[in-house]
Structures are given as C-alpha cells and as structure tokens.
Amino acid sequence: MSASSDKPPLTVRLAAPRGFCAGVDRAIQIVERAIARYGAPVYVRHEIVHNRHVVDRLRALGAVFVEELDECPADRPVVFSAHGVPKSVPAEAQARRMLYLDATCPLVSKVHVEAQRHFEAGKEIVLIGHAGHPEVIGTMGQLPEGAVTLIETVDDAARFQPRDPANVAFATQTTLSVDDTADIVGVLKARFPEIAAPHKEDICYATTNRQEAVKVVAEGSDLLLVIGSANSSNSVRLAEVGRRAGCPAHLIDDASALDFAWLEGARQVGVTAGASAPEDLVQALLARLGERYAVTVETVESARETVSFKLPRGLSEPA
Ligand code: SF4
C-alpha cells in the first residue's frame, strides 16, 4: 500500500482466514448460474446470504428476493437460501410444481440429517441457537412442531426440563460463538451425562476458523474492524469475540461506514470479514485507511482452508 511521509503510520493486521466460506460461495454461484440458465427473474427465498452488497449485486443481475414462497410465481425458478428451509417449503414448491434450487449449505443439511436421526431414535432434541434466525427456523422445521426445544443461553440450559433426562440429544446452529456454545454444552452435559452429541462439531469450520483468527488478530490490536452486515450471525460473533479479547470492535457494512474518530491514537488495527462478506469490501476498507494513514498490511494466518462444495446437479456446468 502506498504511503506518503506526512501520513501517520498504521499497521493493519489482516485476519486469515476471513470472508467467504465454501457454503456462501456455492449459494451465490447457484443464483448466478440459475439466472444464466433460466434468465431473469430468478426468485430467491430470503437473502441468499446475509450480506447487503451480495444481495444488491444479485438483484442487479435479475434475482428477486422474497421472504415466502407464496410471493413467487409458480412458473419461475426459486432458490432457497444458504441458511436452509423448513421441510414445508420444498413440499409447497413441489405441490405448486415449481422449479426450485436448494442452496442450503451442506453443513446445515448435515445438522438437519442429525436432528432427523435423533428424532427417529426417539430422543428429545435440544437445538442451541438464536431464536428467529432462518437457520434455526429451518432446522426446527425439519421435525414436527414441539420435537425440538430451542436453547439460547446457559440459563436456558440450566432450566431445561426434558421428558426423560436419559434420552436427550443436542444440535447447534452452525454460526454460533464457539466459547458461548462450549459453556452451554458444558451445562447440558453436566445435567444429562448421557446426552447425545453431534458426531462432529455443528459449528462449522468457517465459523470456528474466523473466530480463532480474530482472537489472534485482536491480541495486540488497538481496534478491530469487522466487515459484515448486522443480520449476519457469524459477522456479529466476530465483533463479539474481538471485544471479549479486550479489543474495541466495530461491525461495518463497508468502508463508507468507517469513522476515522475510532482510529484516534491507534497504531495497530485488526481487520477481518464475516463468512458472507466479499473480499473487495476488505480491499476497499484498506484503500480508505490508506487515504489518511501510511498503511502497512500484515497478514496474520491462523488456518488454511481448502473446503469447497459441489453445485447441485444441473448447475454444475455454466449455462
Ligand atoms: Fe456453511 Fe458455515 Fe458458511 Fe454457514 S458459515 S454457509 S454453515 S460453511
């Protein structure tokens, strides 16, 4: 990054990994390829991923975002978002003979399958997650009403009264705080030692890696800037993790939301991006910082990611 000598120095500690995960990348490609294959408009039920810039760009290409299926005409394709949908949604699409494409992240689908398996084994299921988040609505909607109890906090876990304490299982939302969830799971395991746990963590690799990276970057930084939208669960968690590590943190949609007053006295600034935030927004933030500071960028890498997911059949080749 260019520096002029009259600008104060600023070191940017850039977290790696950051930004797009494999599930977000796949979901965006599904919408892009559906538009290329079927023409506009292609309907998308709920924001495909929780990022305003991604949604605006896809809208400009011909995507129409709606909240419910009944807002879509039956003769246009519809894509279900990366967060997953209750079973009633594909059932309704089938009943209306709609062409639908499911962009549910495979790691969310894995949680759906686990919940189903526990239900079939007769277990009472606890889902750790945030009320109202579309992923939670989708996971709870895999099973009949009342089959899943939502737990949001350690207090909820302490109060939960199962029908049979020896026959309980838990699953989690994929984008939770790793540390908070460990506390909640700790309470459940202490109360119900036989509780069935996921085979492998439900909190996904991308959430885990981004939170780990933020901890490393926050240490020694005077300020943390997280690029992401306010409705993005994993982005909100990144700012929280930074604050818990003792670093003041701001979640911003893009560089235009940066307030230079936050940087008063700062020498080292951590920068990261949520799993739904595109890298060009990070680069634009670095450029904006460069307008006032002589910026040196240090990439702080705490993990390497090689995960990628296949596209659904029929979309794996560009139109
Ligand atoms: Fe999938 Fe995790 Fe990305 Fe969500 S954050 S889309 S669960 S990889």
Side-chain angles (χ1 to χ4, degrees):
M1 184 137 307
S2 69
S4 86
S5 55
D6 54 350
K7 292 177 183 172
L10 183 74
T11 302
V12 170
R13 308 184 74 225
L14 199 50
R18 66 178 176 278
F20 277 8
C21 60
V24 162
D25 191 50
R26 173 178 180 271
I28 293 169
Q29 280 197 60
I30 289 173
V31 178
E32 289 170 347
R33 290 191 180 206
I35 294 168
R37 180 151 303 216
Y38 303 107
V42 163
Y43 284 74
V44 182
R45 186 189 174 279
H46 195 72
E47 289 190 352
I48 185 73
V49 300
H50 284 158
N51 185 271
R52 186 167 63 77
H53 287 268
V54 170
V55 167
D56 287 348
R57 189 179 67 78
L58 293 174
R59 191 179 281 124
L61 290 177
V64 176
F65 291 89
V66 296
E67 278 311 306
E68 291 302 338
L69 214 49
D70 59 14
E71 299 167 60
C72 311
D75 61 352
R76 293 306 306 163
V78 60
V79 180
F80 303 150
S81 80
H83 315 95
V85 289
K87 268 192 175 160
S88 56
V89 173
E92 184 189 338
Q94 272 164 22
R96 290 177 63 199
R97 299 175 181 276
M98 297 173 79
L99 172 64
Y100 67 87
L101 299 153
D102 190 355
T104 303
C105 176
L107 299 182
V108 174
S109 300
K110 186 191 83 156
V111 178
H112 292 180
V113 169
E114 271 171 13
Q116 184 77 44
R117 189 170 49 81
H118 289 312
F119 180 70
E120 281 162 11
K123 295 199 180 293
E124 187 170 350
I125 300 157
V126 168
L127 177 65
I128 304 170
H130 296 295
H133 190 280
E135 184 185 326
V136 164
I137 294 168
T139 301
M140 293 183 83
Q142 299 306 303
L143 298 173
E145 205 158 333
V148 181
T149 302
L150 179 66
I151 278 185
E152 294 188 84
T153 62
V154 162
D155 284 350
D156 290 348
R159 278 196 302 261
F160 171 60
Q161 294 298 342
R163 289 186 298 271
D164 174 4
N167 205 19
V168 184
F170 78 88
T172 82
Q173 192 179 330
T174 57
T175 51
L176 299 178
S177 152
V178 172
D179 295 337
D180 287 350
T181 307
D183 292 345
I184 295 172
V185 168
V187 171
L188 290 172
K189 284 188 168 165
R191 291 188 63 210
F192 315 116
E194 293 165 65
I195 194 166
H199 280 313
K200 199 169 170 285
E201 279 294 307
D202 286 335
I203 297 178
C204 75
Y205 79 97
T207 299
T208 307
N209 288 347
R210 278 152 193 68
Q211 288 179 19
E212 269 317 306
V214 144
K215 281 183 193 166
V216 177
V217 157
E219 202 166 305
S221 290
D222 304 308
L223 175 73
L224 174 70
L225 298 173
V226 180
I227 300 262
S229 290
N231 62 344
S232 159
S233 173
N234 82 85
S235 304
V236 172
R237 302 288 89 75
L238 291 179
E240 278 175 11
V241 168
R243 284 183 204 115
R244 275 194 203 160
C247 186
H250 295 277
L251 175 65
I252 53 175
D253 249 313
D254 55 36
S256 70
L258 172 69
D259 182 346
F260 279 105
W262 300 335
L263 283 111
E264 200 86 7
R267 303 293 300 266
Q268 307 233 43
V269 175
V271 170
T272 190
S276 45
E279 178 62 16
D280 56 354
L281 299 180
V282 175
Q283 296 306 319
L285 176 63
L286 299 184
R288 180 135 197 254
L289 289 168
E291 290 167 10
R292 300 258 186 114
Y293 293 90
V295 173
T296 305
V297 177
E298 272 175 18
T299 298
V300 182
E301 184 177 272
S302 55
R304 284 221 174 142
E305 293 179 345
T306 54
V307 179
S308 66
F309 297 128
K310 282 195 190 125
L311 292 169
R313 253 188 308 168
L315 285 184
S316 43
E317 294 302 320

